[in-house]
Amino acid sequence: MDNLTHTLVGAALGEAGLKRRTALAMPTLLIGANLPDLDAAAYLWGGLAALEWRRGWTHGVLAWLVLPLLLAGAMLGVARIAERRGWRPERPVRPRQLLLLSAIAVWSHPFFDWLNTYGVRLLMPFSRRWFYGDTLFIVDPWLLLVLGLGVALARRRAGKGSSAPSRPARLALAAAAAYVALNFAGTRLAREAAGAAAPDARRLLGGPVVLNPLRRELLVDDGAAYRLGSYGLLPATAPALDGPVIATGADGPAARLARATPEGSTFLRWARYPYFRAEGDSLRIYDARYFGPRGGWASVAIPFGRGNRE
């Protein structure tokens, strides 16, 4: 998910009551909810490096253990320095609570990243396997709205001294959980419907649609080509595989040579539905998850000079 969503998750957890567990609870939750994205530094070395490193080491099981310890230790260090300079918090600094909140916040991040079609490598560094929830669009406006309202109303109630100030944040988290569960079920229904319509398909994807949780984009892998379509959840409609048909182009000699290049092998470790296209003096590899005018970011070009034209 986007970092605003991660931040609002941390904020909602704090406003729901966790911020009262210890001093520095809220900054711990906000930082922890974003901390796995330390690997965004890979963008400094270009988009291909980002595909190689993003959602890997800092999102996998080893990081689930290490990052909470590092964050809790850093927050304790900040507290000690601040106390020496005269800081007197309203609540005591409780190391065990800081560690607990660090773990909750850090663990929330890979869960929400898993929910979209980009995926996350949950077993890193022990396995490079990608896991995909295919449940929410990477920026979900409805989730942002629910969490944002919950946080804003909770802070407003707290500022006015109202009773039960955490109630809006708790309701927002409950609504967000229900929304995620319903979207998860919708994705599974779309996959089942697509499977019935294309029983010989090797793989099926029922991906979320931005702004419309009642529809799914379908992608059917027939082996030699991908078929695109859509599915309506409410009212339920028959899956329509009437979109573009994308030949994979994976069997030609140029594609085989492209796989052996450093760029090609790196991209293909990330790509889920790759296809190959000759474009001018290069062979470009795309991912059909992001087919369309804006899908060029999910591609890599390999000069024909590095191989042979088909």
Side-chain angles (χ1 to χ4, degrees):
M1 303 300 291
D2 63 291
N3 287 101
L4 179 55
T5 300
H6 289 305
T7 301
L8 286 174
V9 169
L13 289 170
E15 296 297 342
L18 294 185
K19 70 178 183 180
R20 294 191 287 272
R21 286 180 169 264
T22 177
L24 296 179
M26 188 59 89
T28 298
L29 288 166
L30 296 178
I31 295 170
N34 288 280
L35 192 57
D37 274 345
L38 284 169
D39 60 8
Y43 282 110
L44 296 173
W45 288 270
L48 200 59
L51 294 181
E52 174 73 6
W53 294 104
R54 287 283 283 136
R55 299 196 179 187
W57 279 77
T58 60
H59 289 64
V61 289
L62 187 59
W64 301 357
L65 301 175
V66 174
L67 290 182
L69 291 170
L70 292 177
L71 177 57
M75 299 309 290
L76 284 172
V78 168
R80 298 296 180 260
I81 293 171
E83 286 172 348
R84 292 193 194 104
R85 296 183 177 182
W87 177 57
R88 295 295 179 264
E90 295 180 1
R91 298 179 180 85
V93 177
R94 297 186 173 95
R96 290 185 179 179
Q97 291 298 319
L98 281 176
L99 180 58
L100 174 63
L101 298 186
S102 297
I104 292 171
V106 168
W107 296 344
S108 74
H109 188 107
F111 170 74
F112 277 91
D113 278 356
W114 168 75
L115 289 174
N116 52 63
T117 59
Y118 192 104
V120 63
R121 288 172 284 184
L122 296 174
L123 301 180
M124 283 287 285
F126 308 107
S127 169
R128 289 178 174 268
R129 179 186 172 188
W130 287 87
F131 294 83
Y132 311 95
D134 298 334
T135 299
L136 300 181
F137 197 76
I138 195 166
V139 180
D140 191 298
W142 304 114
L143 189 62
L144 288 170
L145 179 63
V146 167
L147 293 174
L149 280 175
V151 170
L153 291 174
R155 292 179 65 85
R156 183 179 179 184
R157 288 171 68 101
K160 291 184 175 182
S162 302
S163 61
S166 61
R167 183 176 299 166
R170 293 179 179 180
L171 289 174
L173 288 170
Y179 178 74
V180 169
L182 289 172
N183 274 276
F184 184 84
T187 291
R188 295 304 173 269
L189 287 173
R191 283 174 52 87
E192 291 176 4
D200 297 329
R202 294 185 178 183
R203 294 182 296 163
L204 300 166
L205 171 63
V209 177
V210 65
L211 285 174
N212 190 351
L214 299 179
R215 294 195 66 79
R216 289 294 183 272
E217 292 180 342
L218 302 179
L219 192 159
V220 175
D221 178 6
D222 289 335
Y226 305 125
R227 286 190 289 158
L228 305 184
S230 62
Y231 178 71
L233 294 166
L234 193 65
T237 60
L241 297 175
D242 53 359
V245 177
I246 310 168
T248 65
D251 295 329
R256 289 193 290 271
L257 288 168
R259 291 191 188 94
T261 64
E263 300 93 334
S265 60
T266 295
F267 185 84
L268 290 171
R269 280 194 295 271
W270 169 82
R272 189 174 176 187
Y273 294 95
Y275 63 97
F276 300 76
R277 291 290 181 270
E279 296 182 358
D281 294 329
S282 65
L283 182 74
R284 185 171 287 273
I285 314 175
Y286 292 91
D287 192 310
R289 283 178 293 179
Y290 308 106
F291 178 79
R294 299 182 181 179
W297 70 269
S299 68
V300 63
I302 299 167
F304 278 122
R306 306 269 290 280
N308 296 318
R309 188 185 294 268
E310 289 185 75

